[in-house]
Amino acid sequence: MNVKALLEERIQAALTASEVPEARALVAAATRPEFGDYQANGVMAAAKAANRKPRELAGDVVARVDLVGIAERVDIAGPGFINLRLAADFLASRVAASTPLFERAARQTIVIDYSAPNLAKEMHVGHLRSTIIGDAMARILGALGHDVIRQNHVGDWGTQFGMLIAHLEETGEDSDELENLEVFYQAAKQRFDADPTFAERARARVVALQSGDADIRARWRAFLDISLGHCQAIYDRLGVQLSASDVKGESAYNDALPGIVARLQQQGLLTVSDGAKVVFLDEFQGKDGPLPIIVEKTDGGYLYATTDLAAISYRCGALHADRVLYFVDVRQSLHFKQVFALARTAGFVDESCSLEHHPFGTMLGKDGRPFRTREGGVVKLAALLDEAEQRAFALVTEKNPSLPEPERREIAKAVGIGAVKFADLSKHRTSDYVFDWDAMLSFDGNTAPYLQYAVTRIVSLFRRGGIAREAIDAPVVITEEAERALALALARYDETLTDVARDATPHLLCAYLMELAGSYMRFYEQCPVLNAPDKTTRDSRLVLCRRVADTLEHGLSLLGIATVDRM
């Protein structure tokens, strides 16, 4: 049990013993060091509900709470806050016993929908946030012991594929144009717009594709293989844990769509409006009345809402998901609210299954507009990653030119890709943020290079001392305030991961790692390690150093960011 949960449990028991069993302890990290390490903020609400004086109730709780061996001081502040300062020996025991680094949660099956590029084009910066936020959450939830099922809901179905298949038939699968999917798409689009004969042939391919024509399906799959190969190359460079087995695109649900519409019809939920089949839910109102959810167009075609309903039915029914997390940008918020509400109304999902849209904001350029090339075009992810590695290589060469070039290249990959990912993940996902090369590659401030460098400093410490990091094992003895602060930071790793997993907020893990690295730097400046006054102190501090390195490496790995032994 993490420290915060342990305190919650003990204070909750004291509230129950004080005859306010419905009250919540509301334990949180202290807002200021002089208040202690944690605060219990639930007494005032409990006192109001029980018609009691807050400080009197707080006194009852403090008198009854069992924190022997856990807290060295418990104080009442203000109208009824309870401040707690943890015992040094308790913190030392948490550090010494923190293998594994955290405790596993009660297992759930969690489906995560992320990345989801349109296979008609190459991946661009617009796909970055969904891909890396979703990947980080998949790693974190998996590490906490949950059964994570990744779902890459790629756009692999629709009218544009008739155009692409027709063009693929003429150019051949070995066409040089396929080396650049954007060029291939634009060439097909130009022909579609300019050549009526080609456009007619493309539309015929759509009909053949949707009706299951074997030859057209084979060409379609060939195109998908080429397109998915481009996507996989990006995933591999980013270190994202998505593979071909995780792809379940729009086409996978095509056969289920008539059944979805039929079920809505049977339940009396459908209305025909201007020839289209729609659902109106009272809770979604526009200026002119309820907003429609269109599930079948006038020409018999289906829309995203229909496919998403089929996906929900599959994920909650066949996959038995306890939670389904969608990492899709904020512009789709209304769409998901409507689809989730309809899925529940129509009985496509049990009440026990949590459907969660976790939106994210936009990556902006320095001009405050969506990030684009100097010419105003969309920035391809491959080009962005190339530039990241090139800039990092120049930086590493400047700082350590004596390293062999292959090693500098390897370090540059970890630093460059890590910098791009951390710059995104460290922002609250609902926020827009400005893409700034200089800021994200800095060794100072809230950056991946800063954290990666913190790891190399600890590795260097063990190297200078001729000590095998994995072999160091000794009791932790806390005598200095800097040691205590570092031990407290280490003890908060578990609860941080719990908060991240609950709210899908990886920026909290980024902030935690920055705080931990800062605590380590202050500890290192104030507490000699290799030159400690005695062996007991030296070994204790080496254990602290080891735990910091382990936690930084592990935390960064959960964000999908690599570390190196030297920079």
Side-chain angles (χ1 to χ4, degrees), residues 356-385:
E356 306 170 22
H357 175 216
H358 295 292
F360 51 83
T362 303
M363 180 195 297
L364 306 175
K366 290 184 178 181
D367 59 359
R369 298 178 179 179
F371 187 56
R372 293 185 175 274
T373 64
R374 291 180 180 177
E375 294 76 26
V378 175
V379 178
K380 296 178 186 175
L381 263 182
L384 183 80
L385 301 183

Side-chain angles (χ1 to χ4, degrees), residues 183-204:
V183 170
F184 186 87
Y185 177 85
Q186 292 300 332
K189 185 68 165 64
Q190 288 173 8
R191 292 203 62 194
F192 185 86
D193 292 340
D195 184 346
T197 302
F198 177 84
E200 183 179 349
R201 192 159 58 248
R203 294 189 184 96

Side-chain angles (χ1 to χ4, degrees), residues 293-305:
I293 305 170
I294 304 174
V295 294
E296 187 176 317
K297 296 186 293 184
T298 54
D299 61 3
Y302 303 105
L303 288 97
Y304 290 129

Side-chain angles (χ1 to χ4, degrees), residues 342-409:
L342 179 54
R344 294 204 183 279
T345 300
F348 293 152
V349 55
D350 294 335
E351 285 300 321
S352 60
C353 180
S354 177
L355 301 175
E356 306 170 22
H357 175 216
H358 295 292
F360 51 83
T362 303
M363 180 195 297
L364 306 175
K366 290 184 178 181
D367 59 359
R369 298 178 179 179
F371 187 56
R372 293 185 175 274
T373 64
R374 291 180 180 177
E375 294 76 26
V378 175
V379 178
K380 296 178 186 175
L381 263 182
L384 183 80
L385 301 183
D386 286 343
E387 185 168 358
E389 292 189 30
Q390 290 164 6
R391 286 175 176 267
F393 180 73
L395 189 63
V396 172
T397 300
E398 178 186 336
K399 289 188 173 293
N400 208 338
S402 62
L403 286 177
E405 181 174 337
E407 186 173 357
R408 279 182 282 138
R409 293 284 179 194

Side-chain angles (χ1 to χ4, degrees), residues 103-169:
E103 300 164 38
R104 289 176 170 251
R107 177 175 290 186
Q108 290 183 309
T109 296
I110 303 177
V111 174
I112 305 183
D113 182 323
Y114 67 105
S115 193
N118 186 337
L119 296 187
K121 302 179 181 180
E122 282 191 55
M123 291 182 72
H124 55 77
V125 294
H127 300 117
L128 183 64
R129 301 207 74 183
S130 174
T131 302
I132 63 177
I133 295 172
D135 182 64
M137 289 307 306
R139 289 169 181 264
I140 291 165
L141 291 164
L144 288 173
H146 298 296
D147 293 323
V148 173
I149 301 174
R150 295 165 170 83
Q151 295 278 272
N152 195 355
H153 190 85
V154 296
D156 63 353
W157 199 249
T159 55
Q160 74 269 35
F161 283 92
M163 173 182 77
L164 294 167
I165 290 167
H167 192 52
L168 182 65
E169 288 174 341

Side-chain angles (χ1 to χ4, degrees), residues 261-470:
V261 175
R263 286 179 63 181
L264 296 173
Q265 180 75 58
Q266 290 164 5
Q267 295 181 54
L269 292 170
L270 282 186
T271 299
V272 177
S273 177
D274 295 328
K277 294 179 179 179
V278 304
V279 176
F280 293 101
L281 297 176
D282 291 339
E283 60 262 47
F284 299 100
Q285 296 288 328
K287 293 180 179 179
D288 301 319
L291 297 172
I293 305 170
I294 304 174
V295 294
E296 187 176 317
K297 296 186 293 184
T298 54
D299 61 3
Y302 303 105
L303 288 97
Y304 290 129
T306 329
T307 303
D308 282 331
L309 287 169
I312 288 171
S313 180
Y314 169 76
R315 291 164 179 179
C316 297
L319 298 181
H320 307 292
D322 297 299
R323 296 176 71 187
V324 186
L325 280 56
Y326 292 77
F327 292 95
V328 184
D329 77 55
V330 70
R331 291 172 296 178
Q332 300 300 315
S333 294
L334 176 60
H335 167 80
F336 281 110
K337 286 178 182 177
Q338 290 182 298
V339 167
F340 292 169
L342 179 54
R344 294 204 183 279
T345 300
F348 293 152
V349 55
D350 294 335
E351 285 300 321
S352 60
C353 180
S354 177
L355 301 175
E356 306 170 22
H357 175 216
H358 295 292
F360 51 83
T362 303
M363 180 195 297
L364 306 175
K366 290 184 178 181
D367 59 359
R369 298 178 179 179
F371 187 56
R372 293 185 175 274
T373 64
R374 291 180 180 177
E375 294 76 26
V378 175
V379 178
K380 296 178 186 175
L381 263 182
L384 183 80
L385 301 183
D386 286 343
E387 185 168 358
E389 292 189 30
Q390 290 164 6
R391 286 175 176 267
F393 180 73
L395 189 63
V396 172
T397 300
E398 178 186 336
K399 289 188 173 293
N400 208 338
S402 62
L403 286 177
E405 181 174 337
E407 186 173 357
R408 279 182 282 138
R409 293 284 179 194
E410 195 63 28
I411 294 170
K413 180 179 180 180
V415 171
I417 302 299
V420 170
K421 296 175 84 169
F422 191 87
D424 192 307
L425 293 168
S426 61
K427 312 299 187 299
H428 195 296
R429 58 176 165 71
T430 60
S431 302
D432 296 342
Y433 78 97
V434 175
F435 191 90
D436 185 335
W437 284 115
D438 294 334
M440 69 177 58
L441 284 166
S442 173
F443 280 82
D444 298 312
N446 189 23
T447 68
Y450 174 83
L451 293 173
Q452 290 166 321
Y453 183 59
V455 174
T456 66
R457 288 188 64 175
I458 300 174
V459 171
S460 175
L461 173 71
F462 280 91
R463 188 187 300 124
R464 291 199 314 272
I467 303 163
R469 178 174 132 200
E470 63 278 4

